[in-house]
Amino acid sequence: MAKILVTGGTGVLGRAVSKLFLSNQTNFIIGSRHRKAKDSTNDNLASDLNQTWIYMDLTKTEAINKSMNNNIDTILHLASMPQETLNVQPIQVEAVAMELDKIIKGSPLNTTYDIGGRKIYNMDEIVDSLLKVRHEKKLVLKIPIMGKIMKGLAKGYSTCDNISLISNTWEEYLSNKYLK
């Protein structure tokens, strides 16, 4: 059976994929910059992940080489670094997990695969709607756009045309989380 390395397996998307893989008894291991699995949601995933866990710093070549010593056949690169984004395309993590599961079970794509939520928002829309639904008033400081990467994000280069039809929109997410 093929063995999958899930980088970023403790992040929001990585946890959803890991939960799905655990329930499907998929042969996988977690690669994370965190040295221990965190159980922030009290869902017992942390104790399960400790059985399929390796620490790796993706900024170091030796960490990647070391992970390949675990007979990895497929890498799902879900790791990210915190960054300021200006245009975002929120997608429900369960929708991404199901899409990745479908891809893994199919033939090799030999290409990258982009998928995003049903609507593109700017950060002002995201922050304003979140504060409104939570009945909060907070000072939000705007940081000037600097550098080519930030300008690319402002132009929407981190968004895509391939959308998930099963993912909730940001408004549906807020309604489900805060208004029910």
Side-chain angles (χ1 to χ4, degrees):
M1 178 177 0
K3 190 172 190 180
I4 302 164
L5 168 65
V6 180
T7 65
T10 58
V12 175
L13 175 57
R15 287 180 72 82
V17 170
S18 297
K19 285 180 187 180
L20 184 65
F21 283 0
L22 282 169
S23 69
N24 291 343
Q25 298 180 345
T26 301
N27 185 18
F28 77 106
I29 62 173
I30 298 294
S32 177
R33 67 179 179 244
H34 302 291
R35 294 194 183 274
K36 289 181 81 176
K38 295 179 181 177
D39 191 7
S40 60
T41 59
N42 296 320
D43 58 10
N44 294 323
L45 184 60
S47 60
D48 293 334
L49 290 181
N50 281 327
Q51 300 171 12
T52 57
W53 184 270
I54 61 170
Y55 166 77
M56 62 187 307
D57 180 352
L58 293 176
T59 65
K60 309 256 189 296
T61 305
E62 61 270 11
I64 298 167
N65 292 337
K66 181 181 174 187
S67 70
M68 300 320 293
N69 292 335
N70 289 293
N71 298 318
I72 302 299
D73 299 300
T74 303
I75 299 173
L76 280 182
H77 180 49
L78 307 178
S80 66
M81 294 182 67
Q83 63 183 6
E84 178 187 1
T85 57
L86 303 173
N87 285 315
V88 294
Q89 192 172 8
I91 185 167
Q92 190 175 358
V93 294
E94 292 83 4
V96 177
M98 287 190 284
E99 195 70 31
L100 290 172
D101 187 54
K102 187 170 58 172
I103 291 169
I104 290 297
K105 291 178 180 171
S107 299
L109 295 176
N110 295 323
T111 186
T112 59
Y113 185 84
D114 293 329
I115 189 164
R118 295 182 356 221
K119 187 175 174 186
I120 297 170
Y121 304 84
N122 66 48
M123 285 307 293
D124 289 339
E125 294 170 314
I126 296 289
V127 171
D128 291 346
S129 60
L130 179 62
L131 292 175
K132 182 178 179 180
V133 76
R134 292 172 62 175
H135 306 288
E136 294 179 351
K137 291 185 179 186
K138 300 207 183 237
L139 175 64
V140 178
L141 299 174
K142 299 204 182 229
I143 298 171
I145 299 170
M146 298 172 68
K148 291 180 182 178
I149 292 175
M150 292 305 291
K151 289 178 182 172
L153 293 172
K155 291 179 182 177
Y157 294 163
S158 67
T159 62
C160 67
D161 294 329
N162 190 19
I163 62 170
S164 169
L165 299 176
I166 62 172
S167 178
N168 288 339
T169 63
W170 176 248
E171 294 85 1
E172 291 166 336
Y173 164 78
L174 291 177
S175 177
N176 291 336
K177 181 162 178 95
Y178 295 103
L179 302 177
K180 288 190 176 188

